[in-house]
């Protein structure tokens, strides 16, 4: 999966407080994570497959896409993370 794709939210999380469902982020990956349902925050669709995009459990969070390459949306995600850890 390589390119821009839109986020679909599964649940609310402080990491996505500054963005909205449907915002596009940039993916460059050959692998994907298979989290449990309670860890999934957001996904995207690639063909007819759901691709994990954001996971979180307790104080551990991860993005399958590259927020640093995702323009203004990525900056908003990184800002939310910064606010969480200060």
């Amino acid at each position: 999966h390589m390119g821009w794709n839109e986020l679909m939210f599964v649940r609310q999380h402080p990491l996505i407080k500054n963005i909205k469902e449907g915002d596009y982020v940039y993916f460059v990956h050959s692998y994907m994570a298979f989290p449990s349902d309670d860890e999934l925050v957001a996904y995207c669709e690639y063909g007819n497959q759901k691709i994990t995009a954001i996971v979180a459990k307790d104080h551990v969070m991860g993005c399958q896409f590259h927020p640093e390459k995702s323009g203004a949306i990525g900056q908003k995600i990184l800002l939310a993370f910064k606010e969480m850890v200060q």
Side-chain angles (χ1 to χ4, degrees):
H1 182 221
M2 183 170 161
W4 294 91
N5 210 323
E6 64 183 310
L7 293 173
M8 307 301 286
F9 296 164
V10 175
R11 64 183 173 98
Q12 287 300 312
H13 188 274
L15 198 57
I16 59 172
K17 71 178 187 174
N18 299 323
I19 64 173
K20 62 185 184 311
E21 188 169 62
D23 282 342
Y24 279 76
V25 292
Y26 190 72
F27 290 80
V28 181
H29 292 287
S30 299
Y31 303 97
M32 80 173 184
F34 294 95
S36 63
D37 289 343
D38 65 323
E39 297 167 338
L40 186 63
V41 174
Y43 68 92
C44 70
E45 293 179 348
Y46 186 70
N48 45 348
Q49 185 171 6
K50 288 184 177 180
I51 305 291
T52 299
I54 301 173
V55 294
K57 182 172 180 161
D58 301 325
H59 297 293
V60 178
M61 294 159 272
C63 295
Q64 182 70 29
F65 56 91
H66 288 268
E68 78 283 3
K69 295 186 180 283
S70 296
I73 300 306
Q75 287 178 343
K76 290 177 182 181
I77 293 168
L78 292 172
L79 175 63
F81 177 75
K82 178 183 167 190
E83 291 171 353
M84 291 172 64
V85 299
Q86 285 184 339

